[in-house]
């Protein structure tokens, strides 16, 4: 339903206020005549769809340091109360989550202060599954961005650019952290690539792995340059393979706790 | 930028795959000729806008029981490390947050299992500011829904229906909990109203107050009927006065921790 609703809403937003209200009045008259009927869900009529880019998570979800990222303690139990809720202990950088500029800067933008206009934006997906299958520490390089633009057109300013390395499908396996050699091994961005994206005024980058930098990074060059530059990142994205390289709009449901350096987020896309 | 992107994306989704790809190829050729140029941000060209319906929150944010809903503890300090993050203790029903069916049922749907299609949907806003100014425990009644439909047309199935009582503007004041008489006093929904909304197949209800039920509720009738019925709620919404009664699309960024009864969410609207 949602996508068709978006279609209708966007159509409305493109009308002048006057014509919108005139149209609404006519619609209202017809609806009132029909009584309190339920409008037909519109999704069935639409070509679009919603894709959830968020992994469900609990204490077993893989983390960078290998420790549980969330702990549960009952705050109110259902039995005897008729309702229930959890007291949660959450390390901010757990699950599908945001890295705010403040994560890697002393006084950068907190997750609560990200501009809402950066949280609903075009999503550009760079597929590096082929080279990631050959090299687990493969990186998105400038050449990958150039190839993407050649195939798909310019990257709109304010976009989110996400790496699809195929890692999202490994999330329930030890292959996600991939420490068989004693060190983390998974794909990420190269600093040369994120420098290029900064020059294109991209607002955020996303990865389907545990870190913006590849698993074998010794210097966290992307974290230490991209985030202090006032831009943000998203880690552990899911289902990127269900979207086209371009054409989707991403909704980045960043948490809004004050002074947050990031946190578990709800990320979805409409295409 | 975002709304115009939505416009373009939705237009694309309405094209056939064949015509979409044909168009993309033509666009690509032009862009490649122009090199790695940044596309002009589209928001400036759009009539639409993003409205953030989420309050920023910390331990001072008002809660139903009066206790802090979030506690912060440094997990990694910036000094000496070059990065930082918090260990957070969060009681699920804090800030702008979701009440999942599991909050008031033994085995209802958890917040992680809400259907993504219910999280991006039309937003219908019922304004009860006038009667809430007279009676702090005012309720959305069936007559308010009927009046809304008369003025705005049918409520689409799968919508989110939100109460704007004017309470959002009080959030930094003791008037938000409003316990001058020793008891909580703020507006909410009546059970008769939410029964009517359930009959219209509304997916969720939202309030700009601390509870779906009014502050003086003795029986939490809405919580005990709406949530076990498999529908969800949103509490402490912000900025509803910045949106029209109808025509906005809400993005409900519900958290996705497994077995969650709800939790702090990022809620935004596009109109």
């Amino acid at each position: 339903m949602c996508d068709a609703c978006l279609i209708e809403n966007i159509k409305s937003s493109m009308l002048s206020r006057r014509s919108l209200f005139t149209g609404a009045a006519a619609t209202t008259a017809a609806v009132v005549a029909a009584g309190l009927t339920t409008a037909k869900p519109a999704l069935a009529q639409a070509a679009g769809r919603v894709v959830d880019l968020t992994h469900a998570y609990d204490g077993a979800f893989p983390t960078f340091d290998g420790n549980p990222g969330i702990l549960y303690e009952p705050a109110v139990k259902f039995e005897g109360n008729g309702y229930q809720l959890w007291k949660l202990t959450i390390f901010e950088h757990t699950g599908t989550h945001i890295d705010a500029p403040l994560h890697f800067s002393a006084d950068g933008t907190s997750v609560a202060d990200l501009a809402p206009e950066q949280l609903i934006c075009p999503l550009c997906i760079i597929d590096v599954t082929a080279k990631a299958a050959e090299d687990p520490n493969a990186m998105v390089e400038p050449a990958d961005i150039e190839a993407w633009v050649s195939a798909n057109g310019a990257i709109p300013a304010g976009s989110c650019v996400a790496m699809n390395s195929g890692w999202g499908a490994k999330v329930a396996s030890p292959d996600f952290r991939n420490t068989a050699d004693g060190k983390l091994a998974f794909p990420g961005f190269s600093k040369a690539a994120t420098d290029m994206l900064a020059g294109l005024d991209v607002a955020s980058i996303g990865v389907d792995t545990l870190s913006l930098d590849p698993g074998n990074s010794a210097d966290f060059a992307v974290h230490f340059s991209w985030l202090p530059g006032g831009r943000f990142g998203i880690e552990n994205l899911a289902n990127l393979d269900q979207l086209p390289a371009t054409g989707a709009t991403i909704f980045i449901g960043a948490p809004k706790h004050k002074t947050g350096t990031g946190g578990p987020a709800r990320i979805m896309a409409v295409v």
Side-chain angles (χ1 to χ4, degrees), chain A:
Chain A
M1 172 193 58
C2 312
D3 299 317
C5 302
L6 285 172
I7 295 168
E8 290 308 312
N9 290 341
I10 297 305
K11 280 183 185 169
S12 297
S13 75
M14 294 171 72
L15 297 172
S16 71
R17 287 289 104 182
R18 179 178 296 275
S19 64
L20 177 61
F21 287 143
T22 307
T27 305
T28 299
V31 170
V32 170
L36 267 174
T37 53
T38 301
K40 187 173 179 182
L43 186 59
Q45 307 158 17
R49 61 196 166 90
V50 176
V51 175
D52 194 349
L53 303 181
T54 319
H55 291 293
Y57 75 108
D58 61 12
F61 193 87
T63 59
F64 190 84
D65 66 7
N67 297 316
I70 182 171
L71 305 168
Y72 294 70
E73 185 182 335
V76 177
K77 293 187 178 183
F78 188 79
E79 193 175 332
N81 294 290
Y83 73 104
Q84 57 190 339
L85 64 99
W86 295 108
K87 174 184 176 181
L88 303 170
T89 301
I90 298 178
F91 293 84
E92 282 178 320
H93 298 265
T94 300
T96 302
H97 71 271
I98 306 295
D99 279 11
L102 187 59
H103 185 33
F104 269 68
S105 55
D107 55 3
T109 303
S110 81
V111 74
D113 293 319
L114 297 174
E117 290 72 18
Q118 294 186 327
L119 303 179
I120 303 181
C121 65
L123 174 61
C124 305
I125 301 176
I126 299 179
D127 187 327
V128 294
T129 53
K131 67 179 181 180
E134 298 294 321
D135 171 11
N137 289 299
M139 292 191 282
V140 177
E141 300 283 5
D144 297 304
I145 298 171
E146 290 163 0
W148 190 96
V149 171
S150 293
N152 300 288
I155 296 173
S159 291
C160 173
V161 175
M163 171 190 79
N164 175 23
S165 70
W167 239 248
K170 302 175 190 271
V171 73
S173 152
D175 293 344
F176 192 72
R177 297 184 75 241
N178 202 24
T179 57
D181 293 338
K183 294 187 288 189
L184 296 164
F186 50 75
F189 277 91
S190 72
K191 180 175 180 297
T194 54
D195 285 349
M196 176 180 280
L197 295 176
L200 295 173
D201 207 12
V202 164
S204 62
I205 53 173
V207 293
D208 57 356
T209 60
L210 278 161
S211 178
L212 307 177
D213 291 280
N216 68 346
S217 172
D219 58 6
F220 296 94
V222 173
H223 277 85
F224 275 110
S225 55
W226 182 260
L227 300 177
R231 306 175 192 278
F232 67 98
I234 314 170
E235 292 170 340
N236 297 325
L237 284 165
N239 299 324
L240 289 171
D241 60 346
Q242 296 181 23
L243 289 170
T246 185
T249 297
I250 190 168
F251 292 76
I252 303 169
K256 207 170 173 182
H257 54 286
K258 295 181 183 180
T259 76
T261 74
R266 186 58 174 268
I267 320 282
M268 294 183 284
V270 175
V271 67

